Amino acid sequence: MKNPIDRRQFLAGSSGALSLALTCRSLLANALPASAPGAAALPGPPNVPPAPVARIEVVHDTYFGETLSDPYRWMENSKDPAWLPYLKAQNDRTRAVLDALPTRRRLLKRIQQLSGDTVATSRVQRAGGLIFFAQRPLGADNYKLFVRQGYGAGRDRVLIDPIQAGNGKAGHVSLDWWRASPDGRYVVYGLSKNGSEDSMLHVLAVADGSSLPERIANTEDANPHWLEDGSGFFYNQLTGAVGTPERYLDSQARFHRLGTHPDADPVLMKRGLVAGIEYDTIQSPYVITYPGSAHALLLLSDVRPESRGFIAPLADAVAGRARWTAFAGFEDEVTDVELDGEDLYLLVNKGTPRGRLLKTSATAPSIATAAEVVPQGSDVIQNTVRARDGIYLRIMDGGISRLRRLRRDGGVSDIALPFDGTIGAVYAVPSEDGALLSLSGWLTPTGIYAVDSGGRVADTGITPRPAIDVSSYEVKRSFAAAKDGTQIPYTLIYRKGLKLDGRAPTWISAYGSYGSAAYTPAFAGRSLALIDAGAIVGYANVRGGGEYGREWHKAGQLTNKPNTWRDLIAVCEELCAKQYTSPQHLAIGGRSAGGITVGRAMTERPDLFAAVIDGVGWSNPLRYVVEQNGYGEEPEWGAISDPAGYRALKSIDSYQAVQDRTAYPAVLLTTGVTDPRVAPFHVAKMTARLQAASNSGKPVLLRVDYDAGHGIGSTRSQQDREAADTYAFLLWQLRG
């Protein structure tokens, strides 16, 4: 439903009922810091400083008669005088270890070659006869916004260069989001510093690249939508202070007319403003426009895939006098909307968890009387995009993308893609036939392809192919049986001629949250450096994601969340049974909400893994109440104020699940100081707890990037360095 990117999604996880409360007595009596006498010596490079011993100040919390202990609560206060010194001491130790690994320099050189040879295009838009695209050019460190006339090369012009926007100051600036006006005259865009995603809105004129005077702060999730004549746009603005739990609460929808002062922008929707439209503080209002339509939509969205929807005449919305008519509630599970003149198309999942497309009247919308134009099939309808020759349907088939078109005559056509892969997005405009799409495979670099009205697909050349030879690599897709018999898809990438002797270093990543199909085919890129070293790189499509629709999501959500990490365990057990690898050579990894997946898999089965990579991971969800991205997560995980929600949250809390004197795997945890999605205290507390509890003698390292957030705004060189650190750590731990 044209929702903005969910705040926690980047790549992500899950939990179970084995987490145990920590007590003050057990902490003080059983904790064994790595620097204490009798602690096992850290294997690896010599002269490694001991792990910093974190201050212990136990805080007790009682939930519904159960008391939990938190020894490192003080880390939630970024103003605590010990906080930054603690991060620095941990990172200094991590750098001493990783920089001394003999493989790191060689890996970094190969990674830099792979990433430098790869051009990356993140988004494309056709507008006013022009093609706009955000791209990281060959060898560049960050994305720029380009405009070109047609598909031919050599006519590109840079509109936005974040490096120049930074004016050479410390840190870096990232292009967070952008959208061209339908007539192609203007671009509205957001810039932020150091990966913070705290966007400042800007506007430029495309003809000469000049900047308009508009500057609008607090526009991280602006999701701007232009009027068709390019005279103004709707946007969302945050109202809570940065770094507080209120940051994303009570945002508001506003309208900006070019040439006026932003302070005068009318507020079109906020809580309590419009009689009859009441909603929760975690929901954000967005006003959406559609070229060629005299109507506007008001969508109320949170972390759920579905939204609550209203419709009104566009002119009334601009004037601030709209009387919004409801067409969908959250209970209807409407996940996408298209407006085609007086026709309103709704992608509905209620009762049809893989989706069906309905058509109703824009002036008198009704799901109950809507006509079904595309019934539910065996595959998942992910979203819809309207072009002049019909509505394009992006389809998910268990991790593989398909493309179909609902023609103007009502028929549905399959469009053959050049290879099995992932359609990252489909881009179309109602005034032109065909569409553009981003398509990638595990061994096929992402390209921008054009689909014409006859269903023919061709590479546009917008993204040049890298000079990377992939002929020596192999991809295998298989299924593992979960404990309840559910077949869990997974993919392995390795060099041809792999010997199945149980000795291959193997790294399996998983996410499984928000109904997002996170680990579908995407060009291996940097990970080829790890594969070249003899490793297997794999991905498990665990429940909680969207590979098989809403049923797959709900099977790994709320109280069903243990399925997510247990699916990962099932995949890893199968890999050992098939002699791809063995526990002493096996690692798991996850990012963001994937920290739940790998954290709980590790705490439930520490014997199964030699190493764990926890990237900006959500480790202590019971404490969502103090982070700026917390309250918006309740629909996915549960509310701590509710007994069932508390039990669900406790089950996914890997920090609380850590047990003293347990032989945990080697763990590398990462964070960015400016992370707006997963507060750094999550991995910091998890690091301290594991260092105190583990008696395996294996290292627990915390890697800190002071010039990064969740990773979304990180530069190529930042990503290269993190990959080199990760791969060197894995080879160090998995080759034994």
Side-chain angles (χ1 to χ4, degrees):
M1 189 182 271
K2 310 302 178 283
N3 292 344
I5 295 175
D6 136 52
R7 294 187 184 103
R8 192 173 302 281
Q9 268 182 10
F10 182 52
L11 286 176
S14 148
S15 156
L18 298 180
S19 28
L20 300 175
L22 303 175
T23 65
C24 179
R25 177 176 298 177
S26 67
L27 282 167
L28 297 177
N30 299 332
L32 184 62
S35 59
L42 177 70
N47 302 318
V48 176
V53 179
R55 183 174 91 234
I56 292 178
E57 292 180 358
V58 180
V59 175
H60 301 284
D61 298 299
T62 300
Y63 306 98
F64 306 100
E66 181 176 19
T67 298
L68 304 182
S69 299
D70 186 347
Y72 304 114
R73 178 69 55 82
W74 65 268
M75 293 187 188
E76 296 173 10
N77 177 16
S78 62
K79 306 296 185 185
D80 189 294
W83 170 242
L84 288 178
Y86 172 76
L87 289 183
K88 184 178 185 302
Q90 287 284 356
N91 190 61
D92 287 350
R93 175 175 182 263
T94 297
R95 290 263 51 91
V97 173
L98 297 180
D99 290 343
L101 294 175
T103 58
R104 185 187 179 278
R105 184 175 298 180
R106 183 170 63 253
L107 285 165
L108 179 59
K109 183 177 180 180
R110 173 62 168 152
I111 289 165
Q112 289 171 330
Q113 174 199 349
L114 290 164
S115 69
D117 287 348
T118 303
V119 175
T121 304
S122 62
R123 184 171 177 267
V124 180
Q125 182 187 350
R126 293 191 292 189
L130 303 171
I131 298 176
F132 298 82
F133 57 96
Q135 187 173 90
R136 192 188 67 210
L138 200 68
D141 207 29
N142 214 337
Y143 285 85
K144 304 176 184 181
L145 182 65
F146 296 85
V147 63
R148 73 164 52 174
Q149 184 83 46
Y151 297 134
R155 294 188 293 275
D156 299 342
R157 179 162 57 95
V158 177
L159 291 176
I160 302 168
D161 184 348
I163 295 177
Q164 291 185 359
N167 294 321
K169 296 180 181 178
H172 71 279
V173 173
S174 297
L175 177 62
D176 295 329
W177 50 262
W178 59 273
R179 180 170 276 121
S181 60
D183 57 12
R185 289 191 297 152
Y186 301 102
V187 173
V188 57
Y189 61 100
L191 296 177
S192 68
K193 297 179 179 179
N194 301 332
S196 67
E197 302 177 56
D198 184 18
S199 303
M200 175 69 73
L201 182 150
H202 304 252
V203 183
L204 64 78
V206 173
D208 59 6
S210 60
S211 294
L212 276 63
E214 280 84 350
R215 298 290 186 276
I216 305 178
N218 298 314
T219 47
E220 177 178 332
D221 283 332
N223 196 21
H225 278 259
W226 287 92
L227 298 181
E228 198 159 2
D229 63 1
S231 62
F233 53 85
F234 300 95
Y235 67 99
N236 178 272
Q237 186 177 46
L238 303 179
T239 63
V242 174
T244 70
E246 293 76 37
R247 177 56 173 165
Y248 298 113
L249 305 184
D250 289 322
S251 68
Q252 54 194 19
R254 307 183 73 172
F255 176 74
H256 179 73
R257 180 79 67 177
L258 294 186
T260 64
H261 197 283
D263 288 350
D265 289 353
V267 177
L268 305 180
M269 182 58 64
K270 66 178 181 179
R271 282 202 316 138
L273 180 67
V274 178
I277 302 182
E278 305 296 331
Y279 55 94
D280 293 339
T281 185
I282 64 173
Q283 285 146 24
S284 300
Y286 300 90
V287 177
I288 312 297
T289 61
Y290 294 82
S293 177
H295 303 276
L297 301 184
L298 168 65
L299 304 181
L300 297 173
S301 302
D302 55 30
V303 72
R304 288 171 284 187
E306 59 268 15
S307 293
R308 185 178 169 199
F310 303 80
I311 192 168
L314 175 59
D316 291 348
V318 173
R321 60 171 184 266
R323 294 187 176 182
W324 297 101
T325 299
F327 64 82
F330 283 107
E331 70 278 3
D332 294 308
E333 298 187 17
V334 173
T335 55
D336 205 3
V337 179
E338 285 291 343
L339 262 173
D340 186 1
E342 293 300 308
D343 293 327
L344 179 64
Y345 290 86
L346 307 174
L347 180 55
V348 179
N349 292 86
K350 184 179 182 179
T352 50
R354 292 181 297 282
R356 59 179 174 141
L357 193 63
L358 306 182
K359 182 173 74 172
T360 186
S361 166
T363 54
S366 170
I367 291 178
T369 61
E372 185 177 79
V373 292
V374 180
Q376 175 177 246
S378 58
D379 303 329
V380 180
I381 305 175
Q382 290 184 293
N383 72 294
T384 61
V385 182
R386 181 167 66 97
R388 186 168 58 189
D389 57 346
I391 294 178
Y392 286 82
L393 310 174
R394 187 166 67 107
I395 306 296
M396 172 58 60
D397 179 11
I400 304 297
S401 291
R402 312 293 181 202
L403 185 65
R404 298 183 185 127
R405 180 174 58 216
L406 172 62
R407 304 188 306 271
R408 290 296 177 185
D409 63 8
V412 177
S413 303
D414 287 311
I415 296 175
L417 300 176
F419 55 88
D420 283 346
T422 298
I423 299 175
V426 180
Y427 310 98
V429 290
S431 59
E432 298 183 42
D433 291 340
L436 300 175
L437 57 95
S438 171
L439 181 63
S440 176
W442 294 117
L443 297 178
T444 305
T446 304
I448 303 298
Y449 292 77
V451 183
D452 66 18
S453 57
R456 292 174 289 271
V457 180
D459 193 338
T460 64
I462 288 176
T463 306
R465 292 294 183 93
I468 299 174
D469 183 6
V470 296
S471 61
S472 61
Y473 306 103
E474 185 174 345
V475 177
K476 184 172 183 179
R477 188 168 189 255
S478 301
F479 295 81
K483 285 188 175 181
D484 62 2
T486 302
Q487 295 296 299
I488 311 301
Y490 65 91
T491 300
L492 305 178
I493 311 171
Y494 47 82
R495 292 188 70 88
K496 292 178 180 177
L498 176 71
K499 185 178 181 181
L500 298 182
D501 59 3
R503 299 179 62 185
T506 301
W507 183 34
I508 306 298
S509 296
Y511 184 72
S513 292
Y514 306 107
S516 172
Y519 287 118
T520 59
F523 184 54
R526 292 180 178 88
S527 63
L528 294 177
L530 182 59
I531 297 169
D532 287 342
I536 299 171
V537 172
Y539 305 92
N541 298 114
V542 296
R543 282 174 285 185
E547 290 82 356
Y548 293 106
R550 301 305 300 280
E551 292 170 309
W552 198 254
H553 176 207
K554 292 178 180 180
Q557 185 188 34
L558 297 171
T559 56
N560 293 324
K561 198 62 190 163
N563 285 332
T564 303
W565 71 79
R566 289 172 185 163
D567 288 351
L568 174 59
I569 289 171
V571 169
C572 291
E573 288 177 332
E574 171 157 311
L575 295 178
C576 293
K578 289 185 173 181
Q579 289 288 291
Y580 282 102
T581 190
S582 53
Q584 61 266 40
H585 302 292
L586 175 61
I588 53 174
R591 294 187 67 89
S592 192
I596 298 171
T597 310
V598 299
R600 289 300 285 116
M602 172 185 66
T603 51
E604 191 164 295
R605 286 293 308 278
D607 61 302
L608 186 56
F609 313 109
V612 175
I613 306 296
D614 187 354
V616 292
W618 215 36
S619 306
N620 187 202
L622 279 167
R623 294 297 297 161
Y624 76 90
V625 294
V626 297
E627 63 175 315
Q628 76 168 23
N629 193 39
Y631 284 98
E633 303 298 316
E634 290 181 355
E636 181 73 7
W637 315 113
I640 202 166
S641 58
D642 173 72
Y646 161 67
R647 289 192 296 272
L649 283 163
K650 185 191 173 191
S651 76
I652 67 174
D653 195 303
S654 52
Y655 172 71
Q656 284 289 337
V658 173
Q659 299 183 52
D660 293 319
R661 294 180 176 172
T662 299
Y664 287 109
V667 186
L668 175 63
L669 304 99
T670 73
T671 190
V673 170
T674 64
D675 194 334
R677 301 176 183 242
V678 177
F681 75 74
H682 281 278
V683 294
K685 290 172 70 174
M686 188 67 173
T687 299
R689 184 72 188 103
L690 284 170
Q691 287 175 343
S694 180
N695 64 5
S696 67
K698 294 184 176 182
V700 175
L701 304 179
L702 174 60
R703 182 189 190 276
V704 182
D705 193 328
Y706 300 96
D707 185 26
H710 203 57
I712 293 174
S714 294
T715 64
R716 177 175 71 90
S717 58
Q718 285 178 303
Q719 295 169 353
D720 287 350
R721 291 192 296 269
E722 183 173 355
D725 287 344
T726 301
Y727 300 167
F729 179 83
L730 288 170
L731 292 175
W732 173 35
Q733 294 300 315
L734 303 184
R735 279 178 166 169

